[in-house]
Amino acid sequence: AQKITQTQPGMFVQEKEAVTLDCTYDTSDPSYGLFWYKQPSSGEMIFLIYQGSYDQQNATEGRYSLNFQKARKSANLVISASQLGDSAMYFCAMRGLSGGYNKLIFGAGTRLAVHP
Amino acid sequence: GAVVSQHPSWVICKSGTSVKIECRSLDFQATTMFWYRQFPKQSLMLMATSNEGSKATYEQGVEKDKFLINHASLTLSTLTVTSAHPEDSSFYICSARPPTGKLNTEAFFGQGTRLTVV
């Protein structure tokens, strides 16, 4: 079975500082993908970044980077130079073979608050 | 990017009535769509996988007679909450992804539907 764990219910960060949101996962699938989504108060789900289990390098997308440590089964999201608009819920999610490479399973989420 | 449209954005209904929520993939064909439920300040819980032309696959603990799913075409899936009760009040959100066959293709989400049963 697949499981995603996000242990930080809430995080605070000062504007322009960097912040790391933790995510650990558990799966027996040999191949899987890890995703991060942002959910503002409006409820929409915004895709941020993807990391494949066989990717050699950590993924980066603008101010977002993923600190992928496969042996530790962790895929932490790093947001650099935080902005007020980054305040939102952040979800880590996984897709793998056991879900037909289709089904996304989400963690509990972390609420990020960016202070001026 | 690909667009998934969900309608309505919010709905208020009386106990005992049924409510239908639509999820459309606007610029790609989706043989599979997913329905999630989200309680306030909680995560997205997968309810069911909607399969075009066949029966939906429900997650454990989800009442299939309560939450009827129909995937009549490659671009439309509907979720009907039957005989709604106040405890069914929640945020329902659908997702789909283009059939690229690639693991890294992200899922696109509808805008979500906030259901309030009074």
Side-chain angles (χ1 to χ4, degrees):
Chain A
Q2 299 177 335
K3 187 178 181 181
I4 295 280
T5 302
Q6 293 179 257
T7 57
Q8 306 156 314
M11 289 285 286
F12 295 90
V13 66
Q14 203 75 23
E15 195 178 7
K16 301 180 184 178
E17 297 291 312
V19 63
T20 298
L21 306 183
D22 294 342
C23 173
T24 58
Y25 60 91
D26 190 22
T27 182
S28 56
D29 292 338
S31 174
Y32 50 89
L34 296 156
F35 300 78
W36 277 91
Y37 282 84
K38 172 184 178 182
Q39 187 181 43
S41 56
S42 58
E44 60 185 309
M45 295 292 285
I46 302 169
F47 166 73
L48 296 178
I49 196 166
Y50 165 85
Q51 180 80 46
S53 58
Y54 288 112
D55 292 343
Q56 295 297 313
Q57 291 187 322
N58 287 344
T60 60
E61 288 286 347
R63 294 187 298 112
Y64 305 108
S65 61
L66 206 151
N67 183 0
F68 181 48
Q69 298 188 43
K70 192 172 182 178
R72 294 186 177 183
K73 292 189 175 180
S74 73
N76 299 338
L77 176 71
V78 180
I79 305 175
S80 62
S82 297
Q83 302 172 355
L84 296 178
D86 294 335
S87 295
M89 280 291 290
Y90 289 81
F91 292 100
C92 180
M94 179 168 64
R95 171 190 296 150
L97 175 62
S98 57
Y101 290 122
N102 225 351
K103 194 161 62 172
L104 263 182
I105 302 300
F106 287 85
T110 296
R111 181 169 297 279
L112 176 66
V114 181
H115 292 298
Chain B
V3 178
V4 173
S5 177
Q6 188 172 341
H7 178 81
S9 306
W10 59 271
V11 58
I12 301 173
C13 70
K14 291 184 178 180
S15 285
T17 62
S18 295
V19 174
K20 180 185 284 188
I21 303 169
E22 294 187 347
C23 180
R24 295 180 185 273
S25 56
L26 297 185
D27 52 2
F28 65 94
Q29 293 183 332
T31 55
T32 306
M33 291 185 177
F34 301 90
W35 287 96
Y36 292 86
R37 181 175 182 175
Q38 186 179 29
F39 289 107
K41 299 184 180 181
Q42 294 190 25
S43 184
L44 280 72
M45 299 302 297
L46 181 65
M47 298 175 65
T49 302
S50 174
N51 304 300
E52 188 270 334
S54 65
K55 291 182 179 180
T57 306
Y58 290 82
E59 295 298 304
Q60 193 172 10
V62 177
E63 300 176 61
K64 59 180 68 176
D65 294 330
K66 174 75 170 176
F67 300 100
L68 300 180
I69 291 172
N70 184 277
H71 196 147
S73 77
L74 287 170
T75 59
L76 174 64
S77 174
T78 60
L79 168 68
T80 301
V81 183
T82 63
S83 186
H85 290 286
E87 56 264 32
D88 298 324
S89 298
S90 190
F91 187 67
Y92 294 87
I93 191 165
C94 69
S95 80
R97 67 174 188 143
T100 63
K102 296 180 181 179
L103 185 59
N104 63 350
T105 305
E106 73 264 30
F108 294 92
F109 287 81
Q111 302 93 321
T113 298
R114 194 162 302 280
L115 170 64
T116 302
V117 184
V118 297

